[in-house]
Amino acid sequence: MKRKGYLLKSLAVICSTVIFCLIVLPLALVSLYPDTDEPGKVLPETPPKQEGMNVPDYINVYRTATGKTEAIAFEDYVMGVVAGEMPANFEEEALKAQAVAARTYSLSKVVRGNPAAHPSAPVCDDVHCQVYRSPGELEIIKSAEWMATGWPKIQEAVNSTKGQLMYYQGALVEQPLFHSSSGGKTENSEDVFVSAVPYLRSVDSPYETAAPHQDEQAEVPLSEFKQKIKKANPGKDLGTISVNNVKVAERSEGGRVATLQIGNITMKGREIRELFGLRSANFTVSVQGDNVIFTTDGYGHGVGMSQYGANGMAQAGYNYKQILIHYYTGVEVY
């Protein structure tokens, strides 16, 4: 009888242990390590780590002139982008900064996949992505002399930064945007485009004294101005447009026109820029007689790296990593 009682007790202990292992312990582990795929769970905001990504040997590029896709050696493609996007007479450190930005943008497009605009390739050779020109095209566009002097500078800038990319909190930077010149201060991304991007913050760009497109005037006949504004705002009552009610209502942190008052309505500064083909949304406006006068500073959307600002920084002794870290807030380059 004693032996039987002992066996029953042993069996009960075994059953309890099995139940604990099969039911209780897994529940405890689930509470410690929740399933991130469970509906309603909040996923961590930290971006996935991608440190030390390697660029592929080749990249497919959609050539807009022929409508065909070409496989181009990745670093050769970066050279063609730097040549298409930045003057070769810029300082070497500015060219290096452009190379890293172009390389980062290209790889981010590869990672994201081919867009609907050119489904056979992640990038095209036009301003829709980045301007790319082959050596043969560059010799025609620039000259044989440029190929002997400018092209080697670009090759050196790309080769000396080979494989280097920009990362933000360990994730590859997806939007290393750049423009020609800012007029003295760059823009927050959300003030120009849709989304607020943490590394695309407004920063001072003080080394742009040599940049063109400063204090440029564009004169628009008042009749043409009214016609275009009305066409862009169908069904709206503009009221009387006069010298007193065409004025800047609000400016962005970067100094560009956020909203412009025109009679009874307001329009965004970037809409005005597109409507009248202005160099920049960094402008002043006045009505003088029968004309509307825009005076602009800078060239481009103003987000990310100012190319003339980068060249000015290089002339002042900054290296390419310092340039990139200045214009892209919080990034790392490696």
Side-chain angles (χ1 to χ4, degrees), residues 87 89-90 179-184 207-217 279-280 282 296-300 306-309 311:
N89 62 0
F90 271 22
H179 56 281
S180 179
S181 60
S182 71
Y207 298 98
E208 294 190 18
T209 54
H213 311 303
Q214 300 184 57
D215 294 322
E216 289 188 335
Q217 286 198 342
R279 298 282 192 186
S280 166
N282 185 2
T296 61
D297 272 317
Y299 189 12
S306 162
Q307 293 171 314
Y308 274 91
N311 195 50

Side-chain angles (χ1 to χ4, degrees), residues 60-63 67-70 114-123:
N60 288 329
V61 181
Y62 177 74
R63 306 307 305 273
K68 296 181 180 179
T69 295
E70 295 179 17
N114 302 351
H118 37 80
S120 62
V123 294

Side-chain angles (χ1 to χ4, degrees), residues 93 311-319 322:
E93 295 303 309
N311 195 50
M313 287 185 70
Q315 290 172 337
Y318 292 92
N319 64 42
Q322 292 171 317

Side-chain angles (χ1 to χ4, degrees), residues 208-234:
E208 294 190 18
T209 54
H213 311 303
Q214 300 184 57
D215 294 322
E216 289 188 335
Q217 286 198 342
E219 189 172 298
V220 182
L222 187 57
S223 58
E224 179 186 339
F225 179 81
K226 291 178 179 178
Q227 183 182 22
K228 287 189 173 182
I229 295 296
K230 286 180 179 178
K231 188 175 181 180
N233 296 273

Side-chain angles (χ1 to χ4, degrees), residues 175-300:
Q175 299 182 53
L177 304 182
F178 52 86
H179 56 281
S180 179
S181 60
S182 71
K185 195 170 186 178
T186 67
E187 283 280 43
N188 294 321
S189 59
E190 68 271 21
D191 292 331
V192 179
F193 305 113
V194 177
S195 302
V197 179
Y199 48 81
L200 296 177
R201 299 295 85 202
S202 177
V203 298
D204 290 330
S205 185
Y207 298 98
E208 294 190 18
T209 54
H213 311 303
Q214 300 184 57
D215 294 322
E216 289 188 335
Q217 286 198 342
E219 189 172 298
V220 182
L222 187 57
S223 58
E224 179 186 339
F225 179 81
K226 291 178 179 178
Q227 183 182 22
K228 287 189 173 182
I229 295 296
K230 286 180 179 178
K231 188 175 181 180
N233 296 273
K236 293 183 179 179
D237 178 19
L238 304 183
T240 302
I241 296 178
S242 68
V243 65
N244 296 318
N245 60 19
V246 178
K247 56 187 178 182
V248 175
E250 183 185 7
R251 288 190 179 272
S252 66
E253 184 179 344
R256 284 158 184 75
V257 175
T259 54
L260 184 73
Q261 180 186 341
I262 309 163
N264 294 336
I265 69 167
T266 59
M267 291 183 67
K268 294 180 179 179
R270 60 181 176 80
E271 295 174 333
I272 295 296
R273 181 199 170 201
E274 294 168 3
L275 192 61
F276 294 100
L278 304 178
R279 298 282 192 186
S280 166
N282 185 2
F283 62 79
T284 59
V285 61
S286 62
V287 178
Q288 300 177 15
D290 292 330
N291 294 300
V292 177
I293 309 296
F294 294 100
T295 303
T296 61
D297 272 317
Y299 189 12

